[in-house]
Amino acid sequence: MKVILFGATGMIGHGVLNECLRDDRVEQVLAVGRSSVGIENPKLRELVQPDPTDLSAIAGELPEFDACFFCLGVSSVGMKEEDYRRIAYDLTLKVGHMLAAANPKLTFVYVSGQGTDSSEKGRSMWARVKGKTENDLLALPFQAYMFRPGFVQPMDGVVSKTPLYRAAYALTGPLIPLLKRLAPNAFNDTREIGRAMITTAASGADSHILTPRQISVRAAQ
């Protein structure tokens, strides 16, 4: 399959990219972002530009892609809702509408998060915004799947770009094996997320919203 990947320089996106480059089911990956991923691989192409939602340079190619893995996002910590919404919702839906128009058969996999609010009415700002993003993506005329991972363990040297998250991983890293045994359905790692995305794009899934446990199951298939 041919995959277009957004957010490949982030922690989850980088992990997804690694799995795409390893997996024989993926023929080609186009990484779209503001900066290069810094990897050379015959399966990898890059579209580096200030506005990652400007797909005019590849407009004629969009119908050829089988899947979009959308891992682009920012932490909501310290952000006003309107600023967070511009990135988490507006940018995502702009890409979603373009891809749905170009290829209704495309599979769109969006990384959300455990605790996302599908009602769009809860007290948590990030959860409301993510909930609306999920709902509106699911309404578009392509096959959309929402990934809601739990605590995500970075693998293969992948690191978070958010200082707060890096500190959290440094503190909890040694405890993760124990925590996984205590709460196996609350954890995922970047390898699992990447493998689960590829499997979902290749053969679908029973649910359009995948929990941490469902992500782990898809990763093993």
Side-chain angles (χ1 to χ4, degrees), residues 29-41:
V29 184
L30 174 63
V32 181
R34 296 186 179 92
S35 58
S36 173
V37 298
I39 296 174
E40 291 188 7
N41 187 288

Side-chain angles (χ1 to χ4, degrees), residues 5 10 21 47-48 74 81 89 93 100 123-124 134 137 151 159 164 186 190 198:
L5 171 62
L21 297 180
L47 179 61
V48 179
V74 295
E81 183 164 350
Y89 177 83
L93 265 294
R123 297 181 63 182
S124 173
E134 284 190 350
L137 286 172
F151 183 93
V159 296
L164 179 62
T190 51
I198 295 166

Side-chain angles (χ1 to χ4, degrees), residues 151-201:
F151 183 93
V152 179
Q153 179 183 10
M155 306 291 286
D156 305 313
V158 174
V159 296
S160 173
K161 296 170 71 174
T162 305
L164 179 62
Y165 292 171
R166 286 201 302 271
Y169 293 130
L171 290 171
T172 60
L175 300 174
I176 286 178
L178 173 61
L179 295 173
K180 278 187 171 181
R181 287 197 294 272
L182 294 174
N185 296 334
F187 287 83
N188 296 109
D189 62 49
T190 51
R191 290 177 188 167
E192 282 184 332
I193 295 172
R195 290 198 295 266
M197 282 191 175
I198 295 166
T199 298
T200 298

Side-chain angles (χ1 to χ4, degrees), residues 3-196:
V3 172
I4 182 167
L5 171 62
F6 289 82
T9 59
M11 185 186 78
I12 292 178
H14 193 168
V16 172
L17 174 61
N18 286 343
E19 295 308 312
C20 286
L21 297 180
R22 292 187 183 113
D23 199 305
D24 290 339
R25 290 173 293 181
V26 179
E27 168 192 344
Q28 181 186 110
V29 184
L30 174 63
V32 181
R34 296 186 179 92
S35 58
S36 173
V37 298
I39 296 174
E40 291 188 7
N41 187 288
K43 290 168 66 169
L44 175 64
R45 292 173 53 202
E46 291 193 82
L47 179 61
V48 179
Q49 55 191 21
D51 180 3
T53 69
D54 179 8
L55 303 181
S56 57
I58 57 166
E61 299 179 51
L62 293 181
E64 301 172 10
F65 287 96
D66 302 291
C68 173
F69 298 156
F70 200 93
C71 308
L72 185 62
V74 295
S75 168
S76 65
V77 177
M79 294 187 73
K80 295 181 179 179
E81 183 164 350
E82 58 267 29
D83 295 329
Y84 182 66
R85 181 187 170 99
R86 273 195 292 271
I87 298 172
Y89 177 83
D90 294 349
L91 187 152
T92 307
L93 265 294
K94 182 178 178 181
V95 172
H97 279 285
M98 283 188 287
L99 294 178
N103 181 9
K105 295 181 179 180
L106 177 133
T107 297
F108 192 102
V109 183
Y110 174 66
V111 178
S112 184
Q114 192 173 24
T116 292
D117 178 14
S118 296
S119 76
E120 306 176 27
K121 298 177 181 179
R123 297 181 63 182
S124 173
M125 179 272 285
W126 77 265
R128 289 195 309 271
V129 174
K130 287 283 192 176
K132 180 168 179 55
T133 304
E134 284 190 350
N135 291 339
D136 289 359
L137 286 172
L138 288 167
L140 290 176
F142 50 30
Q143 289 297 311
Y145 296 92
M146 309 295 113
F147 273 37
R148 295 183 177 181
F151 183 93
V152 179
Q153 179 183 10
M155 306 291 286
D156 305 313
V158 174
V159 296
S160 173
K161 296 170 71 174
T162 305
L164 179 62
Y165 292 171
R166 286 201 302 271
Y169 293 130
L171 290 171
T172 60
L175 300 174
I176 286 178
L178 173 61
L179 295 173
K180 278 187 171 181
R181 287 197 294 272
L182 294 174
N185 296 334
F187 287 83
N188 296 109
D189 62 49
T190 51
R191 290 177 188 167
E192 282 184 332
I193 295 172
R195 290 198 295 266

